[in-house]
Amino acid sequence: METGKNKLKSYCFGQTKQEELSSSAHLLIESEVDQLSFSIIDQKANQCIGLCSFPISQSLGNSERREVIQSIMSSNDIINYPFSKRQLLVSSRECVFVPEEIFKKEEQDYYIRSSFESDYGGKVFSHAIPSLNNYLVYKIPDWLLSLVEDKLSGTIVSHSSSYLAEALYRSSIKSEEATVHVHFKRSFFELFIFNKGKMMFYNSFSFQTSEDIAYFIMYALKQWDMESNGLTVSGIFDANSDELYWLKKYAGEIKEFSVDNLLPYPAAIEKPGRYINLLNPSFCE
């Protein structure tokens, strides 16, 4: 299928047809700058039974992006299937974690404005993450909110970073040492530092080169006076990616985020770390 100058391609794994779904199926959609993906979660079986990903050009403007996403939704009947629950995860840099002891809802717009310069309209949201004693404050652009209202009525909208942080929290409480995790997107990465279940640091960084990646991460570790004994990664880069050459040189061992911390998923998915937010066990609770 073709929309404007963009051919709509898809990569699907597992059960992605309506007749294969159970009444307990939950649809989880993630909107990223370079793709729209969805996973189908069987909440009773506690597993991901199907996943599809649709690449989107990063160069598109908001109106073109909306058109492409709308075409994806219109051409996939499964998105309109009566799931027990539908949830949209927005993945963007525009989010901040605020400790609950200083969080004030009336200042949530300020938290975003003081950290990011935005040249588009949008609405700021926040929600509590009790396990982290933090609130996540984030902004969603108007065009995406209107698209959800038009095409995904009744869908819960949230930010992907909150669920990623919870997955890392669960992993860190099993470790006796501080853990460092990096989640890579197409044009930025998120850096988390946990110590025995407590989130010590979070920030996101735009990057263009492998040197940028190494510099920002090593600088953050130095600021926290941490010796790097290695770290885990997820997202578009895996532990063997050439883009992590300089990081490997200075940060020590790099490992994939353990699949033991993810939902069971279709065997055809070769790189589950790419879809870490869509395979989060939190969605079966």
Side-chain angles (χ1 to χ4, degrees):
M1 182 177 180
E2 193 170 306
T3 299
K5 298 179 181 179
N6 302 283
K7 292 183 179 180
L8 299 182
K9 298 180 180 180
S10 65
Y11 303 91
C12 294
F13 313 93
Q15 300 172 28
T16 56
K17 299 182 183 299
Q18 289 190 21
E19 58 268 24
E20 298 174 321
L21 304 182
S22 71
S23 59
S24 63
H26 172 182
L27 180 68
L28 188 60
I29 308 169
E30 184 172 22
S31 173
E32 303 178 72
V33 68
D34 63 333
Q35 67 176 9
L36 183 79
S37 306
F38 67 79
S39 65
I40 302 166
I41 308 298
D42 188 324
Q43 293 177 288
K44 287 186 177 179
N46 289 329
Q47 66 178 359
C48 169
I49 60 174
L51 188 149
C52 279
S53 178
F54 302 83
I56 299 175
S57 172
Q58 296 183 74
S59 63
L60 297 181
N62 290 340
S63 60
E64 293 176 302
R65 184 172 298 277
R66 178 190 167 114
E67 181 184 350
V68 171
I69 293 177
Q70 188 167 324
S71 296
I72 293 171
M73 293 179 176
S74 299
S75 63
N76 287 270
D77 293 336
I78 195 167
I79 290 181
N80 299 308
Y81 181 82
F83 288 93
S84 62
K85 184 178 181 181
R86 291 193 301 188
Q87 189 162 353
L88 172 66
L89 301 180
V90 178
S91 177
S92 69
R93 278 200 68 200
E94 288 189 304
C95 70
V96 292
F97 286 89
V98 181
E100 60 183 11
E101 62 267 21
I102 63 172
F103 172 80
K104 294 181 180 179
K105 189 172 182 62
E106 62 272 19
E107 293 186 2
Q108 61 184 21
D109 283 56
Y110 167 76
Y111 298 142
I112 293 296
R113 288 198 312 270
S114 62
S115 300
F116 302 96
E117 294 183 4
S118 298
D119 57 359
Y120 61 86
K123 185 175 180 181
V124 177
F125 298 85
S126 62
H127 69 260
I129 310 176
S131 60
L132 302 180
N133 299 315
N134 267 257
Y135 280 79
L136 181 67
V137 183
Y138 54 96
K139 184 178 180 181
I140 299 179
D142 290 330
W143 68 266
L144 184 54
L145 288 173
S146 65
L147 180 60
V148 171
E149 184 176 342
D150 292 343
K151 295 295 182 181
L152 295 170
S153 179
T155 298
I156 299 169
V157 181
S158 52
H159 198 281
S160 62
S161 294
S162 63
Y163 295 96
L164 176 57
E166 286 193 294
L168 297 173
Y169 158 78
R170 295 181 183 189
S171 175
S172 73
I173 59 178
K174 305 172 186 176
S175 175
E176 292 297 320
E177 299 179 343
T179 58
V180 181
H181 184 83
V182 191
H183 185 63
F184 291 99
K185 299 294 186 180
R186 187 60 60 187
S187 58
F188 72 94
F189 65 84
E190 298 176 280
L191 174 62
F192 296 83
I193 300 176
F194 277 84
N195 190 7
K196 298 179 182 179
K198 183 176 181 180
M199 187 168 69
M200 309 297 295
F201 176 84
Y202 169 84
N203 206 347
S204 61
F205 303 87
S206 296
F207 71 91
Q208 294 183 333
T209 68
S210 60
E211 289 89 344
D212 291 341
I213 294 172
Y215 173 79
F216 289 129
I217 292 175
M218 298 311 298
Y219 181 78
L221 295 179
K222 183 178 180 180
Q223 292 295 102
W224 280 88
D225 195 27
M226 289 184 61
E227 293 290 337
S228 177
N229 295 313
L231 45 83
T232 59
V233 297
S234 60
I236 65 169
F237 299 152
D238 60 34
N240 297 315
S241 295
D242 292 339
E243 289 83 355
L244 303 186
Y245 170 80
W246 290 104
L247 184 59
K248 293 175 187 176
K249 186 172 182 178
Y250 296 109
E253 185 178 14
I254 297 178
K255 296 181 179 180
E256 303 288 331
F257 185 70
S258 175
V259 296
D260 293 340
N261 297 305
L262 303 176
L263 289 171
Y265 53 85
I269 299 178
E270 296 180 354
K271 296 184 177 182
R274 178 70 176 91
Y275 306 105
I276 186 173
N277 291 321
L278 296 174
L279 301 173
N280 195 315
S282 298
F283 298 110
C284 283
E285 296 178 349

